[in-house]
């Protein structure tokens, strides 16, 4: 197992050392299975040293012609790897850039496509393939519009609807981060019209402006998510002035004005163009489940469940009966339904690399304790979370509730402290899960 592990580590180091001669790399990989463990460890050490030296050199070259040469060399190296060895996912390229101090956007521009973005997002969000495909294309067109400064390229504002806690917001955050776009969220449930005290639609621009060191260009190229978008259209909360403010924001030639604090006056106003901003809309849109539209009847009226024959097939005209304004729908390019999270998906998330369990494993490891969760317990947790409709976000709260008693009893380890194990099995869960 250790030999297999060191082979993987060497292969990763060879991929990351983009300044190496590629024929040498190819020969090394081909001969790796025949090397002894001692030779492999020696090779691993040399590659680590070479990588550290290259990263140190790159960190001193930022903004120079030599840095650009390093980027071009890295892109050529990766293309060789993909041609002669195997595909390299964006997640691996991002990791490579972190270790070498090369910019991901400088290296990744030749490898970012809707398909590679989709594959990247799949590592973090499970069970929402249709949404991730459409979202990846929207983010890709946004990225290309900014990267090429060609605003004639299509702009795709997407509306995603479905249950809470299934990854609508997190997916956008993941993709915006990998593309280096600033990301902000407008909570539509709490906005008020301009001139009234409270949260406004434009507060998000002020947040991004402050976060980026007063960079107006970053604000004008951001990705903005209007969360709980459906709440703007509930009976009793519909507000024409807010809707008109929203229309001005998402217009192809829209503008927005926001204020920030100043040392010399109470507020300073800033006006930006929203032409380059990508707007995304998310919500549950339960209103769709309460209507008989296009001959479909939601099965909620028959079974009490939201798994309607209509809900995930709603059309633009169906949304018009909820949103009421064709001008808004005219600025939304596409719609996609998200699926409820199943026990199988939650189990996959709990077993995955980005599982919320990893933070608890790390916590206990710091206190000389190994946390082990048996597979039957994983299945129990997944089934319970699905039955209670906790969603992905709720997994962390559930684990906190279950493990907090043992977390309170940890002690700072010393040289004489014995290591211990904490095993989570069905018996353990029986005493801690509240039904």
């Amino acid at each position: 197992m250790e030999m297999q592990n060191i082979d993987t580590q060497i292969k990763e180091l060879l991929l990351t050392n983009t300044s190496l001669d590629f024929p040498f790399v190819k020969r090394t990989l081909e001969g790796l299975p025949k090397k002894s463990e001692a030779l492999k460890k020696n090779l691993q050490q040399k590659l680590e040293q070479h990588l550290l030296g290259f990263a140190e050199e790159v960190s001193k070259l930022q903004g120079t012609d030599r840095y650009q040469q390093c980027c071009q060399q890295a892109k050529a190296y990766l293309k060789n790897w993909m041609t002669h060895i195997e595909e390299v996912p964006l997640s691996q390229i991002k990791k490579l850039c972190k270790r070498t101090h090369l910019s991901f956007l400088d290296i990744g521009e030749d490898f970012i496509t809707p398909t590679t973005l989709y594959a990247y997002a799949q590592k973090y969000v499970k069970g929402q393939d249709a949404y991730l495909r459409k979202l990846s294309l929207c983010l890709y067109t946004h990225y290309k519009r900014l990267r090429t400064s060609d605003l004639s390229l299509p702009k795709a504002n997407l509306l995603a609807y479905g249950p809470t806690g299934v990854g609508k917001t997190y997916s956008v955050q993941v993709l915006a981060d990998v593309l280096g776009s600033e990301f902000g969220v407008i909570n539509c449930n709490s906005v008020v019209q301009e001139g009234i005290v409270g949260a406004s639609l434009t507060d998000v621009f002020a947040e991004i402006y402050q976060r980026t060191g007063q960079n107006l260009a970053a604000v004008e190229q951001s990705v903005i998510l209007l969360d709980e978008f459906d709440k703007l259209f509930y009976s009793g909360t519909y507000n024409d002035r807010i809707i008109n403010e929203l229309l001005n924001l998402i217009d192809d030639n829209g503008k927005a004005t926001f204020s920030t604090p100043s040392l010399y006056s109470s507020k300073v106003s800033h006006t930006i163009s929203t032409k380059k901003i990508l707007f995304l809309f998310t919500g549950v849109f339960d209103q769709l489940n309460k209507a008989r539209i296009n001959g479909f009847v939601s099965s909620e009226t028959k079974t009490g469940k939201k798994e309607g024959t209509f809900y995930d097939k709603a059309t633009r005209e169906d949304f018009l009966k909820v949103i009421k304004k064709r001008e808004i729908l005219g600025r939304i390019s596409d719609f996609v339904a998200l699926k409820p999270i199943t026990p199988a998906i939650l189990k996959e998330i709990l077993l995955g690399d980005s599982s919320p369990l990893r933070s608890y494993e790390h916590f206990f490891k710091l206190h000389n304790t190994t946390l082990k969760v048996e597979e039957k317990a994983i299945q129990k947790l997944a089934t319970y979370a699905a039955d209670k409709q906790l969603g992905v976000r709720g997994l962390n709260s559930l684990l906190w509730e279950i493990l907090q008693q043992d977390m309170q009893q940890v002690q700072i380890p010393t040289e004489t402290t014995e290591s211990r194990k904490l095993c989570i099995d069905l018996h353990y869960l029986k005493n801690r899960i509240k039904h």
Side-chain angles (χ1 to χ4, degrees):
M1 187 69 171
E2 186 180 350
M3 289 284 285
Q4 207 173 25
N5 187 41
I6 199 171
D7 282 6
T8 303
Q9 291 175 8
I10 289 173
K11 187 176 181 180
E12 187 173 306
L13 283 166
L14 287 168
L15 171 62
T16 309
N17 272 282
T18 57
S19 62
L20 292 174
D21 179 58
F22 192 78
F24 160 77
V25 170
K26 194 176 177 186
R27 289 195 306 271
T28 302
L29 278 172
E30 290 169 352
L32 196 57
K34 301 174 185 177
K35 290 185 182 293
S36 66
E37 184 178 359
L39 285 174
K40 288 181 181 180
K41 286 186 175 179
N42 181 258
L43 174 62
Q44 182 185 22
Q45 187 177 17
K46 287 182 177 179
L47 289 171
E48 285 281 7
Q49 290 172 347
H50 187 275
L51 179 60
L52 287 172
F54 177 69
E56 186 177 349
E57 179 189 1
V58 169
S59 64
K60 297 175 182 177
L61 294 173
Q62 298 291 336
T64 66
D65 290 341
R66 173 64 184 139
Y67 172 79
Q68 292 303 323
Q69 290 173 5
C70 289
C71 289
Q72 293 301 322
Q73 182 182 33
K75 286 193 279 190
Y77 184 91
L78 284 168
K79 288 174 182 176
N80 267 327
W81 189 285
M82 292 185 188
T83 301
H84 300 288
I85 300 172
E86 63 186 7
E87 285 296 312
V88 183
L90 289 184
S91 56
Q92 196 67 40
I93 297 175
K94 190 172 176 66
K95 190 174 181 180
L96 176 157
C97 291
K98 185 176 181 180
R99 295 207 65 184
T100 58
H101 297 163
L102 294 167
S103 163
F104 173 75
L105 290 181
D106 289 337
I107 304 302
E109 62 181 349
D110 286 9
F111 309 101
I112 293 172
T113 67
T115 302
T116 57
L117 285 174
Y118 167 67
Y120 181 82
Q122 277 188 308
K123 290 178 65 69
Y124 298 91
V125 180
K126 307 297 181 183
Q128 304 296 351
D129 289 357
Y131 173 51
L132 295 183
R133 284 187 188 281
K134 293 194 174 192
L135 183 64
S136 298
L137 179 57
C138 289
L139 267 294
Y140 176 74
T141 56
H142 175 67
Y143 163 77
K144 293 300 284 186
R145 279 165 58 88
L146 299 181
R147 199 72 177 171
T148 62
S149 298
D150 186 355
L151 298 186
S152 68
L153 292 173
K155 180 180 179 181
N157 298 328
L158 177 69
L159 188 153
Y161 64 102
T164 60
V166 296
K168 293 190 290 289
T169 303
Y170 183 55
S171 302
V172 183
Q173 189 176 352
V174 164
L175 289 176
D177 177 67
V178 77
L179 293 175
S181 292
E182 290 300 323
F183 173 57
V185 178
I186 298 172
N187 187 340
C188 295
N189 194 34
S190 60
V191 296
V192 297
Q193 67 193 53
E194 286 293 334
I196 297 178
V197 176
S200 72
L201 288 170
T202 57
D203 285 350
V204 66
F205 303 127
E207 291 170 13
I208 296 173
Y209 179 73
Q210 299 283 23
R211 187 172 72 220
T212 57
Q214 303 182 346
N215 186 341
L216 278 177
V219 181
E220 291 187 322
Q221 298 177 9
S222 58
V223 176
I224 302 298
L225 176 73
L226 287 96
D227 194 22
E228 298 193 86
F229 183 57
D230 51 326
K231 299 291 177 64
L232 292 179
F233 307 100
Y234 275 115
S235 176
T237 63
Y238 187 88
N239 185 313
D240 260 326
R241 288 193 179 182
I242 292 178
I243 300 303
N244 288 331
E245 288 170 20
L246 174 62
L247 278 169
N248 183 54
L249 285 185
I250 65 177
D251 188 80
D252 285 344
N253 294 300
K255 293 191 179 298
T257 300
F258 63 92
S259 299
T260 56
S262 169
L263 291 174
Y264 307 104
S265 61
S266 57
K267 295 281 185 179
V268 175
S269 290
H270 310 272
T271 299
I272 59 167
S273 166
T274 61
K275 189 171 187 176
K276 297 179 183 177
I277 295 175
L278 175 63
F279 291 99
L280 302 166
F281 310 85
T282 61
V284 176
F285 279 91
D286 265 337
Q287 301 101 311
L288 293 172
N289 268 326
K290 298 172 183 176
R292 181 193 295 264
I293 305 174
N294 289 347
F296 287 99
V297 180
S298 166
S299 63
E300 185 181 23
T301 60
K302 298 177 181 179
T303 66
K305 296 181 180 179
K306 292 184 181 179
E307 297 172 356
T309 55
F310 152 73
Y311 184 62
D312 60 351
K313 298 179 178 68
T315 67
R316 187 175 294 273
E317 289 303 310
D318 301 330
F319 276 99
L320 180 59
K321 295 195 176 184
V322 175
I323 293 177
K324 300 181 179 73
K325 282 237 176 190
R326 286 192 182 274
E327 298 95 319
I328 290 180
L329 287 176
R331 290 161 174 79
I332 297 174
S333 309
D334 203 358
F335 305 85
V336 61
L338 281 86
K339 299 177 181 178
I341 296 292
T342 64
I345 293 171
L346 289 170
K347 181 180 178 181
E348 185 181 356
I349 290 169
L350 285 168
L351 291 171
D353 292 339
S354 55
S355 167
L357 273 171
R358 303 294 167 253
S359 59
Y360 292 93
E361 289 172 348
H362 182 57
F363 174 85
F364 283 108
K365 186 178 179 180
L366 287 175
H367 298 90
N368 213 23
T369 301
T370 301
L371 176 65
K372 180 184 178 184
V373 187
E374 292 187 354
E375 188 168 350
K376 287 184 179 179
I378 293 280
Q379 183 63 60
K380 176 70 175 177
L381 287 169
T383 302
Y384 178 84
D387 288 346
K388 298 293 183 182
Q389 298 182 350
L390 299 181
V392 178
R393 284 194 300 267
L395 284 177
N396 191 57
S397 300
L398 177 60
L399 290 171
W400 178 271
E401 178 187 330
I402 291 167
L403 294 169
Q404 63 176 302
Q405 185 175 332
D406 287 288
M407 292 170 71
Q408 288 169 351
Q409 295 173 2
V410 298
Q411 296 180 351
I412 302 299
T414 65
E415 292 181 3
T416 58
T417 303
E418 292 185 6
S419 60
R420 58 186 291 261
K421 291 184 179 180
L422 175 59
C423 182
I424 310 302
D425 55 17
L426 291 177
H427 177 73
Y428 182 99
L429 293 181
K430 184 178 180 182
N431 298 321
R432 285 171 171 78
I433 287 185
K434 297 176 182 178
H435 292 280

